[in-house]
Amino acid sequence: MDFIPYGKQSIDEEDINSVVEVLKSDFLTTGSKVQDFEKALCTYTGAKYCVSVSNGTAALHLASLALLNENDEVLTTPNSFLATSNSILYAKAKPIFVDICEDGNIDLELCEKELQKNQNIKAIYAVHFSGKVVNQEKLRYLKQKYNIKILEDCAHSLGGSFENIKAASCENSDLSILSFHPVKHITTGEGGAISTNDKELYEKLLLLRNHGMKANPDVAPWHYDMIELGYNYRLTDISCALGLSQLKKLDGFLEKRKELVKRYENAFKECDFIKPLYPYDKGSAYHLFVIKCDFEKLNINKKDFVLQMREKNIGLQYHYIPINKQPFYKNLGYGSEKTPNMDKYYEQAISLPLYPSLSFEEQDYVIKNIKELLC
Ligand SMILES: Cc1ncc(COP(=O)(O)O)c(C=O)c1O
C-alpha cells in the first residue's frame, strides 16, 4: 500500500485547466480572478465582504492588526495550530489560554469566567476545531454582554455550520479567517481569506494586504499614497482560479468526508478503547477525524502506536501539541495554565486519514491495522 497521509488535496483536470487558462492570460496577479474568488466565497459563506490573502497565517496577521490594540488580552485555545495565537503576538497583544471542552473546542463557559474577572480582555479567538463550529448562541451572548471582539478561525470549518449559521458568515463575529493549504477543504496551494460584514474592517484589511497604499487619481492616474504600514499578502490569480474551481466541488468533498467519517464510526463502535472525539455532528465540516484512545488501558503508548502505523505506511497525526507548552511560549511565561481537559485530550487524541480521495480500500486498510494494534 502506498503511503496514506492524514490529509491531502483533490485536484482534477478541471482544476488544472482553470490554472492553465490564467497562465496563458495577461494577469497572473491583481486580475479579475481575485475578485471572482472573493465574491464566490461571500456567496458560499454568506458574509458581505471577503479579502483573499497569501495564506491562513497572513489572514490571522491582518485580522489581528485590524482588531487588536497593543496590550489587549485575548482568550484563545491551546488546541490549535501555532498561527492562531502567534497572530495575537504579532499585534503586540497577549494571548490567554483557556481549557477546551470534550469536543476539542475552546470552553466558552470558562471564557465567561475569565471575562468576569478581567476587564482587559478585548477579544476571543475561537477555532472551530476539526470542523465542529462552536456554539454560536454563546458566542453572540458573550460578544454582546462583554462588548468584546470575536475572531472565528475557520481554517478547519469551511462548509460547516452551527444550526443554520454557516462558518465564516461572521453572524456572531467581527472577522473569520480561512486557510486553503492543501490539507484543507479546498486548496489554492498556499492561500487564505478573511470574511467580515463590517465595511470599515474590510477597507482596513484591503489596505493592509497591499502595503497600506491607496490609489489617488486626483493627483495623477499613477499616483498612490501610503496611509498605513502594510504588507504584500496578495493571493495570485493563478491561486484564485484554482480556488474558484475547487469551491465548485466543496459540497461534494464534504459529502465524501462525512461518508468516510460514518464508516470509521461504524468500524470502531465495538472497540471499547477507541471513541470518536464527539458523536456524529452533521454541522461539522470534518476537516479532521479525531479518535480518543484510552492508552492507559492498552499495552501500547501513543507514540509507539503512531510509529508502528507509520511502518505500515499510514500517516496518523497529532492535532495539536498544546500551544502554551511550546518552548517559545514557555519562555514567555506560559505553560502552567490549568488545562486538565487539554492535558487529557493530548494524551489520547489522534487524527486518522481523512480526505475526499481516500478510497474505501485504503480506509479499510487503516481500520484493519488500527484494530490489530488496539482492539
Ligand atoms: C486552525 C488553523 N489556523 C490557522 C492556520 C494557518 O493556515 P496556513 O497554513 O494557511 O497559514 C492553520 C493551518 O494549519 C490552522 O489549522
Side-chain angles (χ1 to χ4, degrees):
M1 185 66 74
D2 288 340
F3 184 71
I4 303 173
Y6 87 88
K8 75 169 175 197
Q9 72 275 15
S10 300
I11 301 286
D12 65 13
E13 279 305 310
E14 203 188 341
D15 295 323
I16 293 166
N17 291 338
S18 59
V19 170
V20 170
E21 193 193 312
V22 173
L23 288 173
K24 290 179 178 169
S25 77
D26 288 337
F27 287 96
L28 300 189
T29 189
T30 63
S32 62
K33 294 290 178 198
V34 177
Q35 278 145 26
D36 292 349
F37 184 42
E38 290 170 345
K39 265 193 210 140
L41 284 169
C42 284
T43 305
Y44 192 89
T45 60
K48 261 195 200 153
Y49 308 104
C50 177
V51 179
S52 61
V53 288
S54 44
N55 54 64
T57 306
L60 281 162
H61 185 184
L62 298 192
S64 293
L65 293 178
L67 280 186
L68 304 176
N69 291 309
E70 220 171 305
N71 297 323
D72 283 355
E73 294 183 42
V74 181
L75 301 178
T76 191
T77 171
N79 192 27
S80 184
F81 184 58
L82 306 164
T84 310
S85 63
N86 285 354
S87 75
I88 299 168
L89 296 175
Y90 297 160
K92 299 192 169 65
K94 187 179 167 229
I96 298 177
F97 294 97
V98 176
D99 203 4
I100 59 171
C101 306
E102 284 291 311
D103 63 5
N105 275 332
I106 190 167
D107 186 334
L108 293 175
E109 302 298 331
L110 286 179
C111 286
E112 179 158 25
K113 286 194 181 138
E114 292 290 332
L115 283 161
Q116 284 162 349
K117 284 193 306 211
N118 182 350
Q119 302 259 311
N120 202 31
I121 296 168
K122 297 295 189 304
I124 298 178
Y125 277 30
V127 179
H128 305 313
F129 176 74
S130 80
K132 188 170 187 287
V133 178
V134 303
N135 187 315
Q136 292 287 311
E137 279 159 32
K138 186 77 188 174
L139 216 53
R140 184 186 316 137
Y141 159 83
L142 293 177
K143 180 162 176 51
Q144 286 169 359
K145 175 148 190 205
Y146 297 94
N147 191 25
I148 48 166
K149 305 273 169 51
I150 304 279
L151 176 136
E152 291 175 275
D153 182 333
C154 301
H156 295 188
S157 60
L158 181 60
S161 57
F162 178 86
E163 291 164 4
N164 287 328
I165 300 174
K166 278 191 134 185
S169 63
C170 296
E171 242 185 85
N172 298 305
S173 62
D174 298 278
L175 297 174
S176 295
I177 72 97
L178 294 165
S179 161
F180 309 124
H181 180 277
V183 295
K184 301 298 189 326
H185 296 89
I186 62 167
T187 189
T188 58
E190 293 281 359
I194 313 156
S195 58
T196 184
N197 294 317
D198 183 320
K199 193 159 186 264
E200 236 175 83
L201 282 173
Y202 170 63
E203 283 169 357
K204 173 132 189 158
L205 293 166
L206 288 179
L207 261 184
L208 288 170
R209 174 179 68 176
N210 197 25
H211 306 280
M213 63 193 246
K214 214 175 192 172
N216 188 348
D218 291 345
V219 177
W222 57 84
H223 191 82
Y224 52 84
D225 295 320
M226 181 182 146
I227 301 165
E228 292 244 6
L229 183 61
Y231 302 82
N232 175 359
Y233 280 169
R234 296 186 303 264
L235 192 60
T236 66
D237 281 57
I238 305 168
S239 299
C240 288
L242 179 55
L244 270 167
S245 176
Q246 287 262 297
L247 195 54
K248 286 191 213 147
K249 289 176 272 246
L250 174 57
D251 287 339
F253 288 162
L254 288 164
E255 252 172 58
K256 179 69 190 295
R257 283 177 180 275
K258 288 180 181 178
E259 195 179 2
L260 290 163
V261 165
K262 285 181 188 155
R263 289 185 94 248
Y264 272 135
E265 289 188 343
N266 201 35
F268 296 127
K269 69 174 189 271
E270 311 295 335
C271 299
D272 289 343
F273 304 121
I274 302 178
K275 295 277 165 271
L277 179 58
Y278 45 84
Y280 183 76
D281 178 67
K282 69 177 179 3
S284 175
Y286 283 107
H287 162 52
L288 302 173
F289 181 68
V290 179
I291 53 167
K292 287 202 286 188
C293 305
D294 198 347
F295 287 104
E296 274 179 11
K297 300 208 176 101
L298 293 161
N299 51 7
I300 186 167
N301 66 39
K302 181 169 161 175
K303 185 177 168 196
D304 288 341
F305 171 54
V306 172
L307 287 173
Q308 287 193 32
M309 292 293 278
R310 281 192 184 204
E311 277 170 25
K312 311 263 182 199
N313 262 354
I314 298 169
L316 306 183
Q317 200 38 283
Y318 285 32
H319 292 100
Y320 285 98
I321 302 169
I323 302 178
N324 54 325
K325 305 259 162 76
Q326 290 288 348
F328 175 82
Y329 277 88
K330 280 192 173 167
N331 282 339
L332 293 181
Y334 292 95
S336 56
E337 296 85 354
K338 283 204 188 79
T339 52
N341 286 345
M342 182 69 209
D343 298 346
K344 181 148 185 245
Y345 168 88
Y346 182 56
E347 278 166 25
Q348 299 189 332
I350 289 173
S351 305
L352 306 190
L354 184 68
Y355 45 91
S357 61
L358 182 71
S359 69
F360 291 157
E361 190 196 350
E362 287 169 319
Q363 187 186 29
D364 289 343
Y365 175 77
V366 174
I367 291 166
K368 176 175 96 56
N369 279 288
I370 294 176
K371 282 188 167 174
E372 273 173 22
L373 280 172
L374 298 186
C375 294

